[in-house]
Amino acid sequence: MADEPQKKPHLSALVGHTNGLTKPASLAATATRAAGGGGGGGGATASSKKLVIKNFRERPKLPDNYTQDTWQKLHEAVGAIQSSVSIKYNLEELYQAVENLCSYKVSATLYKQLRQVCEEHVKAQILQFREYPFLMHRNNSLDSLLFLKKINKCWQDHCRQMIMIRSIFLFLDRTYVLQNSMLPSIWDMGLELFRNHIISDKQVQTKTIDGILLLIERERNGEAVDRSLLRSLLSMLSDLQQVYKESFEQRFLEETNCLYAAEGQRLMQEREVPEYLHHVNKRLEEEGDRVITYLDHSTQKPLIACVEKQLLGEHLSAILQKGLDNLLDENRISDLTQTYQLFSRVKGGQQILLQHWSEYIKNFGTTIVVNPEKDKDMVQELLDFKDKVDHIIEVCFQKNEKFINLMKESFETFINKRPNKPAELIAKYVDSKLRAGNKEATDEELERILDKIMIIFRFIHGKDVFEAFYKKDLAKRLLVGKSASVDAEKSMLSKLKHECGAAFTSKLEGMFKDMELSKDVMVQFKQYMQNQSDPGNIDLTVNILTMGYWPTYTPMEVHLNSEMIKLQEVFKTFYLGKHSGRKLQWQTTLGHAVLKAEFKEGKKEFQVSLFQTLVLLMFNEGDEFSFEEIKMATGVEDSELRRTLQSLACGKARVLIKNPKGKDVEDGDKFIFNGDFKHKLFRIKINQIQMKETVEEQVSTTERVFQDRQYQIDAAIVRIMKMRKTLGHNLLVSELYNQLKFPVKPGDLKKRIESLIDRDYMERDKDNPNQYHYVA
């Protein structure tokens, strides 16, 4: 600055000070006086003038020997710091001395001198470690610990000394060093010296790193170690740049790998899965804590990856094969949560867990579905199983979409391993829930149960089987007056409509319409009866059913008494008078009545089926009848009569006494009116027998479904061929699979195609037997 005074105005001043020279002050200023008047002047203008402050002509010289004396003081101070004795001089005085030297262009010399002093001191420190009587041996842990403490003290002393030295030479650090990018800062210079002369010494480095690894190994084995010592030493290696990465971390990860590889192999043999996973979790937490407490943060990723690979990644299949089924069987929520969390950490872990999860669902579900002995409880077990897996997905698997989707696929797979039966049993389960007398659930609970059933229903392929059985049971509930709630019935209908479309529920909705129309008809019939000369003693209710909506019932001719026949004719006259051209067909199997009876105990009322009514009315004519006599008088079909008599003589409410006693009704059995009949209720329901499904009913319902399927296949083939005119066999089959909503085998399709060819709906190509033509 002062070398070229002619270019840059410069003001320097020597200020007397006990500590030596102050920093040279520099000032450059220009002043301009504005044109304008002074006091009392007459508006005279003055030209602007510059005020120039110039340098001293010569820069003040330093006193003789100032540089040498000042360095001597600084040298002594550095030596005192390195020897841990008190410094003779004031720290401010020393700082000022450095500043003065730097101002007089001796910075380069000062930096070299400081480096030399520090280097000599650090070089001297190595001797204590070379002379240290420490033999490198794994078992010699006490000597190892003493060595580590010694190296740590050396490091701590070095750091403390360099901090103090830097505070004195701060001006040098912030001016000269900062301006020379090639020079390390005073702190970095200290690190460089410590690295070059102490830690880079092969013997010292080996002893240090071996000692650190030994301490970590001891801690992993459960011993308490000096963590602050480890933290300090590893911080030292980290501060010394590549020493941590190249010399420590590589060996540390190798040893960690070996340790956990051996541990994983051993513990997989010794421990059950929950205990093993708990141990893995504990190890991961421990290693995470090591990173936080004393390892460098950069080690976290490779260290945790190493633990995960050796304790988890190498044993994924073995863990799941050994213990997943047990965890799921026993619903071990916390262990399953831990399994999911741990497997999610490892590459491919979630995928293999998904596979085993799917296999478990399929295997467990198959045991529920395929065993005929479990049919009675199949639907409830399916619902319970679904609740269980839903809970596991929600709580343990964090609502993971992959697990949800695979669960649905697995349910669909196993539930269709046994065609038709699950659909039939679901319909019957719904029936049991919607029947009157179902006191198990409130309206809200019933709604929840129906929602759950619909979820299971979605997995079924042959929904037409469900529809057939549901329709049959709904008919009984409506006609025998056994429905628990119209709201619940319509809610279920709404769910089915939403799931399967309006076509699926149109007939079911028609059944409800028939019931509502029948009520209106009966109001009109009651008015009609009041105008009759002889209204009779029986209060008749008739439900008018549209044949297309309701299940097909086989008509059964029975011998009604004269009053019933008379009433039938009256109703027929009334109804056909309003609707000409219609035909009425009476369905006796669905009839029911309320009978009044007198016993020694008093009067009772019985809710009974029409068949039960015909049997009981016989006992107005006599007290005892044989099976054959009853059969002759009532005209009820054999097996139906046996069921009816069984319900009256062998059930809970025994209105008749069977002779000889026994559960089954045999030829020749006698039936006697039970005058001593007792019951706590006034009105007693005995017509539950109507709600029970017979084997014949089940067979005929199933057969009807299969017959309907034949018609649907035929219709689909004709529809496709009419549109395409000509089509190959494989393409036709493919189209059919897309259109049909129930499972079908290729052989069945082939039979239907042959049938349509025989009936001239289509024909084979003369040259290519696998090609079909539509016959218009």
Side-chain angles (χ1 to χ4, degrees):
M1 291 187 308
D3 295 338
E4 296 178 318
Q6 71 280 12
K7 289 183 183 176
K8 193 173 182 183
H10 195 287
L11 174 67
S12 299
L14 267 176
V15 183
H17 197 284
T18 53
N19 293 332
L21 297 176
T22 62
K23 177 183 176 183
S26 65
L27 173 66
T30 58
T32 305
R33 190 191 306 169
T45 57
S47 61
S48 61
K49 291 183 180 179
K50 288 186 178 177
L51 175 67
V52 181
I53 300 170
K54 295 183 179 178
N55 261 352
F56 287 124
R57 287 295 174 195
E58 289 183 14
R59 184 181 176 86
K61 291 183 180 177
L62 290 174
D64 294 342
N65 299 325
Y66 179 79
T67 306
Q68 192 177 344
D69 294 346
T70 305
W71 166 244
Q72 194 57 43
K73 275 186 192 177
L74 293 169
H75 190 189
E76 282 178 35
V78 170
I81 289 167
Q82 291 170 339
S83 306
S84 298
V85 298
S86 58
I87 306 168
K88 288 193 284 182
Y89 308 103
N90 182 307
L91 286 177
E92 189 182 346
E93 180 185 339
L94 294 170
Y95 178 89
Q96 190 66 57
V98 171
E99 191 174 343
N100 290 338
L101 289 175
C102 288
S103 300
Y104 280 87
K105 301 298 179 189
V106 288
S107 302
T109 309
L110 186 60
Y111 184 83
K112 284 177 189 171
Q113 287 172 321
L114 177 61
R115 183 185 173 93
Q116 190 179 349
V117 170
C118 292
E119 190 166 17
E120 285 168 3
H121 175 72
V122 172
K123 278 182 179 176
Q125 301 304 309
I126 194 69
L127 297 173
Q128 62 180 318
F129 301 112
R130 285 189 177 147
E131 293 165 2
Y132 194 76
F134 167 61
L135 297 170
M136 229 1 265
H137 196 278
R138 273 305 205 200
N139 298 326
N140 205 350
S141 57
L142 181 61
D143 280 350
S144 172
L145 185 62
L146 291 172
F147 177 85
L148 291 180
K149 285 182 176 177
K150 199 169 184 69
I151 196 84
N152 185 51
K153 183 176 183 306
C154 177
W155 166 249
Q156 294 293 343
D157 289 347
H158 176 77
C159 290
R160 193 169 53 253
Q161 290 160 16
M162 290 311 298
I163 287 166
M164 287 188 71
I165 290 167
R166 182 177 179 271
S167 69
I168 292 170
F169 288 85
L170 190 61
F171 193 84
L172 176 70
D173 211 23
R174 286 185 175 170
T175 53
Y176 173 72
V177 176
L178 206 58
Q179 289 160 11
N180 290 271
S181 58
M182 300 303 290
L183 290 177
S185 68
I186 292 171
W187 175 257
D188 288 343
M189 175 192 75
L191 293 179
E192 189 184 294
L193 293 173
F194 196 88
R195 180 173 64 252
N196 293 344
H197 298 295
I198 295 179
I199 289 302
S200 290
D201 181 274
K202 196 169 182 183
Q203 197 178 2
V204 172
Q205 190 178 108
T206 304
K207 288 177 183 178
T208 304
I209 289 167
D210 283 350
I212 292 169
L213 291 171
L214 185 58
L215 275 188
I216 293 172
E217 185 186 320
R218 284 170 56 195
E219 188 183 49
R220 280 172 170 165
N221 290 334
E223 295 181 44
V225 298
D226 187 345
R227 292 186 128 205
S228 62
L229 175 63
L230 277 172
R231 184 166 57 247
S232 178
L233 289 168
L234 289 166
S235 174
M236 170 188 80
L237 296 181
S238 190
D239 287 346
L240 299 175
Q241 293 171 352
Q242 293 306 311
V243 179
Y244 181 90
K245 277 274 174 209
E246 291 171 3
S247 302
F248 167 75
E249 188 180 74
Q250 197 175 345
R251 275 194 59 197
F252 168 68
L253 292 173
E254 283 170 7
E255 292 204 5
T256 301
N257 211 47
C258 293
L259 168 77
Y260 287 127
E263 186 173 276
Q265 294 288 345
R266 189 181 79 253
L267 294 182
M268 271 301 294
Q269 302 296 323
E270 295 174 5
R271 299 194 181 182
E272 292 302 311
V273 167
E275 288 75 31
Y276 181 79
L277 291 175
H278 182 71
H279 175 79
V280 174
N281 209 43
K282 182 166 162 277
R283 282 302 203 194
L284 285 164
E285 284 174 3
E286 285 172 5
E287 297 303 337
D289 181 54
R290 278 189 189 97
V291 174
I292 293 166
T293 310
Y294 54 74
L295 292 167
D296 190 84
H297 183 70
S298 65
T299 307
Q300 181 176 21
K301 202 170 178 179
L303 170 61
I304 298 302
C306 172
V307 182
E308 288 170 350
K309 180 178 184 292
Q310 295 302 339
L311 293 185
L312 281 173
E314 297 291 330
H315 308 286
L316 292 174
S317 286
I319 290 168
L320 296 176
Q321 283 165 6
K322 187 176 180 183
L324 182 66
D325 286 6
N326 288 340
L327 297 185
L328 290 165
D329 284 342
E330 295 166 22
N331 211 25
R332 302 269 285 273
I333 296 297
S334 60
D335 292 329
L336 286 167
T337 304
Q338 189 171 67
T339 304
Y340 175 79
Q341 288 170 348
L342 289 173
F343 273 60
S344 297
R345 299 177 69 139
V346 186
K347 187 180 179 182
Q350 253 191 33
Q351 191 55 41
I352 199 164
L353 180 59
L354 268 169
Q355 290 165 9
H356 281 262
W357 162 249
S358 173
E359 285 306 311
Y360 173 80
I361 292 173
K362 287 176 195 168
N363 293 338
F364 191 93
T366 303
T367 62
I368 297 173
V369 170
V370 299
N371 186 356
E373 292 173 13
K374 286 192 171 186
D375 282 0
K376 187 183 172 188
D377 301 315
M378 181 201 287
V379 180
Q380 189 57 55
E381 284 191 27
L382 285 173
L383 291 171
D384 293 343
F385 183 48
K386 180 69 170 53
D387 281 346
K388 175 180 169 178
V389 296
D390 283 347
H391 183 67
I392 289 169
I393 287 171
E394 186 172 349
V395 177
C396 309
F397 299 162
Q398 298 174 4
K399 301 179 185 174
N400 187 317
E401 280 292 327
K402 289 179 182 175
F403 283 83
I404 294 170
N405 294 334
L406 199 59
M407 175 269 290
K408 289 176 181 174
E409 286 175 28
S410 305
F411 259 81
E412 191 174 341
T413 301
F414 78 70
I415 211 166
N416 291 296
K417 279 191 175 178
R418 188 179 175 195
N420 306 324
K421 198 65 181 178
E424 175 192 328
L425 294 174
I426 289 169
K428 288 175 180 173
Y429 185 86
V430 174
D431 175 55
S432 73
K433 295 298 172 188
L434 292 177
R435 272 190 206 176
N438 177 26
K439 303 285 193 296
E440 295 171 27
T442 63
D443 290 347
E444 292 80 8
E445 287 169 339
L446 181 58
E447 191 68 18
R448 276 201 299 275
I449 289 168
L450 294 180
D451 282 335
K452 287 180 179 179
I453 288 168
M454 288 308 298
I455 292 168
I456 302 293
F457 171 73
R458 278 186 201 121
F459 300 131
I460 290 167
H461 289 161
K463 290 183 169 61
D464 52 349
V465 176
F466 171 90
E467 182 191 13
F469 280 93
Y470 184 82
K471 184 199 246 183
K472 174 181 67 68
D473 293 331
L474 174 61
K476 281 190 178 181
R477 290 198 300 277
L478 294 177
L479 297 173
V480 186
K482 292 291 181 183
S483 186
S485 151
V486 174
D487 289 341
E489 292 283 6
K490 294 205 169 167
S491 171
M492 185 63 193
L493 210 58
S494 168
K495 293 179 201 300
L496 287 169
K497 190 172 186 176
H498 181 263
E499 187 63 35
C500 304
F504 187 85
T505 55
S506 61
K507 291 181 181 178
L508 303 176
E509 287 170 339
M511 291 162 73
F512 279 95
K513 283 176 189 166
D514 279 355
M515 295 304 291
E516 286 163 13
L517 289 170
S518 295
K519 285 178 188 173
D520 296 337
V521 170
M522 291 321 296
V523 170
Q524 295 167 19
F525 180 64
K526 295 270 190 302
Q527 293 169 350
Y528 176 81
M529 287 299 288
Q530 286 169 4
N531 299 327
Q532 296 294 307
S533 56
D534 180 17
N537 299 322
I538 302 174
D539 186 9
L540 176 69
T541 302
V542 180
N543 289 312
I544 313 294
L545 315 180
T546 307
M547 287 186 83
Y549 294 158
W550 297 77
T552 307
Y553 301 103
T554 307
M556 191 182 292
E557 293 294 329
V558 292
H559 304 153
L560 301 176
N561 64 21
S562 57
E563 282 190 75
M564 289 180 180
I565 293 169
K566 183 184 171 186
L567 264 175
Q568 273 188 343
E569 288 303 317
V570 171
F571 181 80
K572 189 174 178 182
T573 304
F574 157 76
Y575 185 76
L576 296 179
K578 293 177 77 68
H579 304 281
S580 60
R582 292 191 181 181
K583 184 182 176 184
L584 285 179
Q585 186 184 76
W586 296 92
Q587 293 291 348
T588 53
T589 52
L590 301 170
H592 58 99
V594 176
L595 286 184
K596 293 179 180 176
E598 287 190 27
F599 298 94
K600 291 176 185 175
E601 189 187 51
K603 291 183 178 180
K604 298 285 181 186
E605 284 188 0
F606 294 114
Q607 280 189 358
V608 283
S609 70
L610 181 60
F611 297 157
Q612 289 169 327
T613 303
L614 296 177
V615 171
L616 289 175
L617 288 176
M618 283 184 67
F619 288 88
N620 285 335
E621 311 299 326
D623 288 336
E624 182 179 326
F625 296 96
S626 69
F627 173 73
E628 286 74 16
E629 287 170 329
I630 296 170
K631 185 177 178 182
M632 183 73 69
T634 61
V636 177
E637 186 266 329
D638 189 281
S639 62
E640 196 62 53
L641 181 59
R642 289 179 197 273
R643 284 178 76 222
T644 302
L645 288 168
Q646 205 173 25
S647 69
L648 294 170
C650 307
K652 289 180 182 176
R654 298 189 180 185
V655 187
L656 303 179
I657 297 167
K658 186 172 90 73
N659 187 17
K661 291 181 179 179
K663 284 186 178 179
D664 297 321
V665 174
E666 306 290 349
D667 291 352
D669 283 355
K670 299 278 195 298
F671 294 89
I672 305 152
F673 181 70
N674 182 10
D676 297 322
F677 177 80
K678 290 182 180 179
H679 203 284
K680 60 181 179 180
L681 299 175
F682 171 68
R683 178 171 281 195
I684 302 138
K685 296 175 184 175
I686 315 179
N687 70 331
Q688 301 294 351
I689 187 171
Q690 275 183 294
M691 297 301 287
K692 286 180 183 172
E693 182 188 55
T694 63
V695 176
E696 292 81 2
E697 268 187 304
Q698 190 210 342
V699 170
S700 68
T701 305
T702 308
E703 283 177 354
R704 257 197 321 277
V705 171
F706 290 141
Q707 191 59 54
D708 285 346
R709 286 184 179 180
Q710 307 299 313
Y711 298 145
Q712 285 184 55
I713 294 169
D714 287 358
I717 294 170
V718 171
R719 194 165 54 243
I720 293 164
M721 290 306 300
K722 191 174 183 180
M723 186 172 68
R724 296 295 187 91
K725 306 301 182 200
T726 299
L727 205 59
H729 177 81
N730 290 339
L731 281 172
L732 175 59
V733 169
S734 177
E735 285 270 8
L736 286 169
Y737 277 130
N738 289 334
Q739 289 196 20
L740 297 172
K741 293 180 180 177
F742 49 84
V744 62
K745 292 174 184 171
D748 295 335
L749 294 180
K750 201 168 183 182
K751 283 178 189 172
R752 299 320 305 158
I753 291 168
E754 295 293 341
S755 168
L756 288 168
I757 291 170
D758 292 342
R759 287 180 280 158
D760 295 329
Y761 281 94
M762 53 198 282
E763 63 184 9
R764 272 199 173 84
D765 188 90
K766 290 172 185 175
D767 300 323
N768 183 359
N770 280 328
Q771 191 92 350
Y772 305 119
H773 300 292
Y774 176 65
V775 177

